[in-house]
Amino acid sequence: MPQSRTTLVVRSGREPFEVAFLISCLAVGVALLVTPDFPASVSVTMPLLLQHLWTGGLIATGLLGGLGLALQGKQLVRGLLVELAGLSIGCAAELMYGVALFTVSGGKAAAAGGFVLAFACGAAARLYRILTDLRAAPGDSTRIETDHG
């Protein structure tokens, strides 16, 4: 009895919004390392250790997410797992900042907090897509294609 061969189609993570998110996380994280002050909402709502972990999380998001995207060309599953790790950290970091903004400023944070939380939702949606793709991958897949559309 011949075995059927399965093709897994993975939706690419190289969407411009995700790339912009990863670059901005890295840039903001590095900027926070070299400047003496954190944003007021972060300083008020997070203990100092958590502020540093948040900054490190932003940097890790940019680095891991970017590495994950780069790996997908040759090592698709590994690239997706690294991207998953980076976006998980980024989603948590953005949620932390969004909550901090609304805690300190209330409704006045609608614009900034709304954009921050929208990026967190976008990261969560991409996490869901990655998990769906990885769960759909049969153990005996012989061919994996990417859909850049």
Side-chain angles (χ1 to χ4, degrees), residues 5 7 47 62 69-70 102 104 113 132:
R5 301 210 178 235
T7 299
L69 293 179
F102 282 107
V104 171
T132 301

Side-chain angles (χ1 to χ4, degrees), residues 106-131:
K108 293 177 184 177
F115 282 113
V116 168
L117 293 177
F119 271 101
C121 290
R126 178 63 186 147
L127 290 171
Y128 176 78
R129 286 176 62 183
I130 293 170
L131 289 171

Side-chain angles (χ1 to χ4, degrees), residues 33-100:
L33 277 180
V34 299
T35 58
D37 296 321
F38 288 97
S41 56
V42 171
S43 297
V44 169
T45 59
M46 297 181 201
L48 187 60
L49 176 62
L50 194 53
Q51 293 174 40
H52 291 294
L53 289 173
W54 174 69
T55 301
L58 291 173
I59 294 168
T61 297
L63 293 176
L64 288 173
L67 177 62
L69 293 179
L71 285 173
Q72 288 176 26
K74 297 200 179 211
Q75 301 173 9
L76 182 61
V77 172
R78 181 172 288 144
L80 287 171
L81 290 171
V82 172
E83 180 186 0
L84 180 78
L87 287 177
S88 296
I89 296 167
C91 188
E94 294 300 314
L95 286 172
M96 288 169 59
Y97 188 44
V99 169

